[in-house]
Amino acid sequence: MSTLIAHLRSTVGAAHVLTHDDPATDLSAWEQDWRKRAHGRALAVVRPGNTAEVAAVVKACAAAGASIVPQGGNTGLVVGGVPDNSGTQVLLSLTRLNRVRAIDGANLTMTVDAGCVLQNLQTAAAQAGFLFPLSLAAEGSCTIGGNLATNAGGTQVLRYGNTRDLCLGLEVVTAQGEVWDGLSGLRKDNTGYDLRDLFVGSEGTLGIITAATLKLYPQPAAKLTAWAAVPSMQAAVELLGLAQQRLAAGLTGFEVMGQFALGLVDKHFPQLRVPLWQDTPYCVLLENSDFESEAHARGLFESLLETAFERGTVTDAVVAENLTQAKGLWNIRESIPLAQAEEGLNIKHDISVPVSSIPAFCEATDAELQRAIPGMRLVNFGHLGDGNLHYNVQAPEGVDGKAFLRDEEERINTLVFDAVARFGGSISAEHGVGSLKATKLPHYKNPVALSLMRAIKSALDPQGLMNPGRVI
Ligand SMILES: Cc1cc2nc3c(=O)[nH]c(=O)nc-3n(C[C@H](O)[C@H](O)[C@H](O)COP(=O)(O)OP(=O)(O)OC[C@H]3O[C@@H](n4cnc5c(N)ncnc54)[C@H](O)[C@@H]3O)c2cc1C
């Protein structure tokens, strides 16, 4: 392996190949995942600066039989982007590939390197007068390559789709170290199998995404945010239906937050001033993007909420008066995962079921969990408009989170995933499979789909060196 390290150093420069040989070098930022569920040991952390260097690194690793774990911002939640404990894997960090290559206003596209931080892309698009709508709480750290590799969702899926829907083309380094230039900005191209869709969501198991051509949208004239207390999950779903009817494509966000989840934000970040949470089981955050004017948006919101009050689907509501207030409301929503982490380790589920089944799913599964673990605390929140809940289980008050995970994680996962399957849902809505759910997939994924996935994996990565042990 020392020959490989020497080769990598000559390829990308010694400063960009970090190893444990130097005791002063701390690799934990790359070796430990965001949730601190896994801390591996890499043979080396390699940081190429362009696509040609990525290709050379992959070729060298393939020749040496070394497996590769690609990594962007390391914000993934399913332990997919950190090395295992073997000390033999090359951690390929893409963060030095961080250029916006081109913005084509007439085609409404931008072509960017995979290591660009999502927030920087939102800013670059805005500076050019456009909207790049992908948005999630990790946007200050996650990279577009990671977003594509996990087909990330976030808060705007309702209107603009998942990352897959925002991608028109890819540049990929294959497992053999070849470069596939598929950076077309075409919206129509029916010339055979869709390779782009194969790599999107593949979590680094088929190849390395080095660049992408992404869709841009016009900026809305105004964005308005409202926060509503609803008396039940059923009422939240009814409010969603009403909002879709009244706001149509203007409805760009619809998030639900359970009382306990909001209580955690209130407890750990009291400065955020969570509104209306104390007397209601759920609150909902709605966003209306309007292409006419703020007055038009406000009028639509007011009439929507008036009808919702009359029908009893909303019991109280506030509409943000300005951008600062709107940001404050979104900040509360996005602080739930952080508040939850402050409270202690918990068992996370990122699940989806058809929107129409969400109330029945919650009622049945909440009760089943309470029977299985009396006193367990449910941190239930998520992108209701997409049928996606972060349905997380916190230990009963006073129970140590670590012990809770050790003793109960398997049982709780099975209970929740079985319920998801009964309601026709998915055990991973937007975070991916990684290694956390890789062993679960055979139980819940259609067997024909699984064998097709395995065939694709062995066709594209016959040596099995691309992020092994992840997904399948
Ligand atoms: C606070 C918080 C909130 C979050 N909210 C959301 C949310 O709302 N919606 C959502 O979908 N996710 C969410 N996530 C999860 C995470 O941010 C996303 O999965 C994100 O897309 C990961 O990007 P990353 O650059 O950090 O990827 P990493 O964590 O570095 O990697 C993720 C996976 O992609 C692979 N990978 C990374 N880059 C490449 C590449 N260039 N080529 C091939 N494979 C690659 C890795 O091997 C790994 O398997 C959240 C995470 C946090 C911490």
Side-chain angles (χ1 to χ4, degrees), residues 223-227 243 247 251 286-288 296-306 319-320:
K223 256 190 191 181
L224 231 60
T225 305
W227 182 283
L247 307 178
L251 183 65
L286 305 94
E287 186 184 78
N288 177 18
H296 187 251
R298 215 168 270 284
L300 284 177
F301 247 173
E302 278 164 12
S303 131
L304 163 70
L305 290 171
E306 213 174 283
V319 178

Side-chain angles (χ1 to χ4, degrees), residues 34 69-77 80-81 94 114 136-138 142-143 145-147 149-150 152-154 203-204 207-209 337 383 430-431 467:
W34 191 86
V69 180
Q71 189 184 89
N74 197 14
T75 68
L77 298 176
L94 279 302
L136 45 133
C142 65
T143 62
N147 303 146
T150 58
E203 299 182 48
I208 314 292
I209 298 169
H383 316 296
E430 60 173 8
H431 293 162
N467 215 1

Side-chain angles (χ1 to χ4, degrees), residues 29-364:
W30 293 276
E31 292 178 331
Q32 179 164 273
D33 76 308
W34 191 86
R35 288 176 63 195
K36 300 190 170 52
R37 292 293 306 263
H39 194 144
R41 187 177 170 85
L43 172 70
V45 171
V46 182
R47 306 179 65 232
N50 56 47
T51 302
E53 286 185 6
V54 174
V57 168
V58 173
K59 266 193 183 136
C61 290
S67 59
I68 295 177
V69 180
Q71 189 184 89
N74 197 14
T75 68
L77 298 176
V78 290
V79 189
V82 290
D84 65 18
N85 290 318
S86 65
T88 62
Q89 297 190 309
V90 169
L91 189 291
L92 182 65
S93 168
L94 279 302
T95 53
R96 286 183 63 228
L97 275 71
N98 57 9
R99 280 178 318 128
V100 172
R101 295 190 188 177
I103 293 185
D104 182 343
N107 198 42
L108 284 175
T109 51
M110 75 178 162
T111 298
V112 304
D113 282 353
C116 290
V117 169
L118 174 57
Q119 200 168 56
N120 296 344
L121 295 184
Q122 296 164 346
T123 307
Q127 280 168 353
F130 299 103
L131 171 75
F132 181 58
L134 183 64
S135 177
L136 45 133
E139 63 200 20
S141 313
C142 65
T143 62
I144 191 66
N147 303 146
L148 287 156
T150 58
N151 185 26
T155 56
Q156 307 276 297
V157 174
L158 189 58
R159 165 70 180 85
Y160 299 102
N162 294 294
T163 311
R164 181 187 300 287
D165 304 296
L166 298 171
C167 175
L168 291 173
L170 285 182
E171 180 187 82
V172 171
V173 171
T174 69
Q176 293 71 36
E178 288 168 327
V179 179
W180 167 49
D181 180 352
L183 288 174
S184 86
L186 300 178
R187 284 174 169 76
K188 289 190 161 182
D189 178 9
N190 278 349
T191 53
Y193 307 138
D194 197 330
L195 298 176
R196 173 199 57 193
D197 272 351
L198 213 51
F199 288 102
V200 173
S202 65
E203 299 182 48
T205 61
L206 300 179
I208 314 292
I209 298 169
T210 48
T213 300
L214 305 165
K215 285 185 196 167
L216 295 174
Y217 289 84
Q219 287 275 12
K223 256 190 191 181
L224 231 60
T225 305
W227 182 283
V230 294
S232 63
M233 190 60 98
Q234 179 60 39
V237 170
E238 281 166 23
L239 179 61
L240 171 65
L242 185 66
Q244 281 168 324
Q245 199 181 45
R246 294 286 181 87
L247 307 178
L251 183 65
T252 43
F254 196 99
E255 301 285 307
V256 71
M257 298 151 288
Q259 189 182 45
F260 181 66
L262 291 174
L264 287 183
V265 178
D266 183 69
K267 176 176 168 187
H268 295 289
F269 308 114
Q271 71 281 11
L272 296 185
R273 297 164 171 266
V274 183
L276 312 179
W277 68 278
Q278 266 137 331
D279 303 316
T280 187
Y282 295 100
C283 286
V284 162
L285 184 63
L286 305 94
E287 186 184 78
N288 177 18
S289 298
D290 197 287
F291 287 84
E292 222 173 291
S293 65
E294 187 177 328
H296 187 251
R298 215 168 270 284
L300 284 177
F301 247 173
E302 278 164 12
S303 131
L304 163 70
L305 290 171
E306 213 174 283
T307 309
F309 274 120
E310 279 163 15
R311 294 183 184 176
T313 43
V314 164
T315 52
D316 206 349
V318 287
V319 178
E321 285 299 324
N322 50 44
L323 208 61
T324 314
Q325 279 183 13
K327 277 190 178 151
L329 293 176
W330 275 108
N331 196 14
I332 293 168
R333 156 65 185 87
E334 291 183 343
S335 298
I336 295 175
L338 305 173
Q340 196 184 215
E342 289 289 317
E343 187 71 5
L345 285 174
N346 52 79
I347 301 170
K348 286 195 195 302
H349 304 109
D350 159 44
I351 54 115
S352 62
V353 295
V355 173
S356 49
S357 299
I358 282 196
F361 167 83
C362 288
E363 198 183 328

